């Protein structure tokens, strides 16, 4: 039976200054970034969110963000997914998604970067991206994907929030 | 000096059943609709939102919603704006907006209906609407409009929330 998937996109939290690490992939969350990301994670748990699977960019700041989501019990499972790294292609994710079997919640989370995540979201919603969505660090987006067929250009946006409006 | 305007779109709260009133324009918020709208309004005030002006659809359920926003001190001023009624044209609002003088906050709120509000939002963001945004009753959207020129196709979406994710 075809089921609807709810897709959550989470941008990594505040990380060290760009250029502060020889390899940008290693740049970790700052202390403040970890703290706010943890607050966001707790808030998502309070809202009863639960993901069958969390896919994360392999970069340290994203990986750490995804681990914080796991720590508070939001995900059943965590996997690295290389197309979530900067400049990753949504086509690779769409291919992966076409054979993904959702679990009990039907909810999938992607942890990554900007402008990648909002570009992917726009592509899912409108079929193309115009840079018209702003996703803050540790911000969250929610999309409802169609039951059948490609989600590209056929998804619906129901949630987009910066941390400050989520945490108050 | 050109200033950025932040535009908030608020959908009216839960109202009586469609068809329960001879004139649909008179259909009021239910008791539960009033209560949830009041909770949303208090939450917006807690988040330090403040509007120079609230424009509302003249229909009773929207007007009541706007009055609740005013009651908790969110707006400096409330005016009815007939293009916010169902099937109103965004062109009429864009014309109005081009000569609007923002006040201290630079924030403007529109209270209206679906699918009108999300159609307007999509038009502001992407230049056209595809029905790809879901705005729940008493839900809120936030858009950043450009400093100069037409906002159509040049605005940015930074917030979209159903009441349940706002209130928790």
């Amino acid at each position: 039976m075809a089921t609807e998937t709810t897709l959550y996109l989470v941008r990594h939290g505040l990380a060290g200054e760009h250029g502060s690490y020889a390899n940008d992939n290693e740049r970790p969350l700052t202390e403040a970034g970890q703290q706010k990301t943890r607050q966001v994670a707790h808030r998502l748990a309070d809202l009863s969110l639960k993901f069958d699977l969390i896919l994360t960019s392999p970069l340290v700041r994203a990986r750490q963000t995804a681990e914080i989501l796991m720590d508070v019990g939001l995900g059943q499972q965590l996997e690295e997914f290389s197309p979530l790294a900067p400049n990753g292609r949504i086509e690779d994710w769409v291919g992966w998604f076409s054979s993904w079997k959702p679990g009990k919640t039907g909810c999938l989370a992607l942890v990554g970067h900007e402008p990648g995540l909002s570009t992917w979201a726009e592509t899912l919603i409108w079929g193309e991206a115009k840079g018209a969505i702003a996703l803050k660090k540790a911000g969250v987006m929610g999309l409802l994907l169609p039951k059948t067929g490609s989600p590209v250009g056929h998804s619906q946006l129901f949630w987009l929030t910066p941390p400050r409006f989520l945490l108050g």
Side-chain angles (χ1 to χ4, degrees), chain A:
Chain A
M1 199 185 74
T3 48
E4 238 159 27
T5 299
T6 312
L7 180 68
Y8 294 89
L9 309 182
V10 183
R11 184 177 176 193
H12 67 79
L14 183 68
E17 288 284 314
H18 190 80
S20 56
Y21 275 68
N23 179 351
D24 192 65
N25 296 1
E26 303 294 330
R27 197 150 49 90
L29 299 182
T30 61
E31 192 69 41
Q34 287 182 40
Q35 199 184 344
K36 185 166 283 186
T37 303
R38 201 167 291 278
Q39 289 173 333
V40 166
H42 280 293
R43 178 82 179 131
L44 298 183
D46 288 347
L47 293 172
S48 305
L49 294 193
K50 204 95 170 175
F51 313 121
D52 292 329
L53 175 61
I54 299 174
L55 294 179
T56 181
S57 150
L59 274 61
V60 167
R61 55 194 183 277
R63 173 95 210 182
Q64 287 180 328
T65 299
E67 278 162 3
I68 289 170
L69 300 181
M70 288 296 287
D71 280 352
V72 305
L74 282 165
Q76 300 292 317
Q77 209 183 329
L78 172 62
E79 285 177 24
E80 284 191 5
F81 189 72
S82 58
L84 281 167
N87 302 314
R89 288 156 29 101
I90 190 172
E91 292 79 4
D92 294 332
W93 177 80
V94 171
W96 172 91
F97 179 70
S98 66
S99 61
W100 180 58
K101 300 275 175 280
K104 227 171 64 181
T105 70
C107 295
L108 172 67
L110 309 181
V111 179
H113 308 264
E114 279 291 87
L117 288 180
S118 56
T119 298
W120 286 25
E122 285 190 84
T123 306
L124 291 171
I125 301 163
W126 283 276
E128 57 173 329
K130 298 189 183 180
I133 290 182
L135 181 65
K136 292 281 185 185
K137 291 196 177 88
V140 184
M141 259 188 286
L143 282 77
L144 201 60
L145 309 193
K147 282 185 182 154
T148 55
S150 169
V152 173
H154 296 99
S155 301
Q156 196 178 44
L157 184 71
F158 67 89
W159 196 26
L160 165 67
T161 188
R164 71 181 167 119
F165 287 158
L166 188 61
L167 302 174

